[in-house]
Amino acid sequence: MIELFKAFIIGGLICAMVQILLDRTKMMPGRVMVTLVVTGTILGWLGLYEPFSEWAGAGATVPLLGFGNTLWKGVAESIGKDGFLGIFKGGVTAASAGIAGALIFGYLGALVFSPKMKK
């Protein structure tokens, strides 16, 4: 039960910091999302994100910071196996389940809710 509470609090704090960033700066949402992914990748490269995600659980692995860390782990592992080619295929391979899930559930959501363009 404590793990759920910790994940909820940490995930909420990450989301709150992102909301503050969106509200207080002129950064567009796309740039904020890219910043989160790059930050997660850099923290993973520095070896800081893995201990944090083990402690925080899903609160740290589900947001875009966790996606960046997943990309980094895939690239690092694939470089060890495939050399230079691993730079290009490691991240996509590691994150393929999440990417496929986002595409599939996004499509199903569009079928169920029939989205419309903003006016």
Side-chain angles (χ1 to χ4, degrees):
M1 187 65 169
I2 191 85
E3 291 87 13
L4 294 174
F5 182 73
K6 190 176 359 176
F8 178 77
I9 295 297
I10 297 302
L13 287 173
I14 291 170
C15 292
M17 287 189 293
V18 170
Q19 189 62 50
I20 291 169
L21 187 64
L22 285 168
D23 291 344
R24 302 283 182 191
T25 68
K26 294 185 181 204
M27 289 178 72
M28 299 299 288
R31 289 186 183 210
V32 172
M33 290 176 11
V34 169
T35 301
L36 289 170
V37 172
V38 170
T39 302
T41 303
I42 292 170
L43 290 173
W45 175 68
L46 292 172
L48 300 174
Y49 203 80
E50 195 63 35
F52 173 64
S53 67
E54 288 176 11
W55 176 78
T61 58
V62 172
L64 284 174
L65 288 168
F67 181 70
N69 184 52
T70 300
L71 291 174
W72 163 249
K73 288 193 303 188
V75 168
E77 182 181 317
S78 190
I79 288 174
K81 286 193 287 187
D82 302 321
F84 183 74
L85 189 59
I87 294 171
F88 302 103
K89 71 178 203 173
V92 175
T93 303
S96 61
I99 294 168
L103 290 172
I104 291 167
F105 289 116
Y107 178 73
L108 292 174
L111 288 176
V112 171
F113 296 106
S114 64
K116 296 174 182 62
M117 295 296 290
K118 288 185 177 181
K119 293 182 182 186

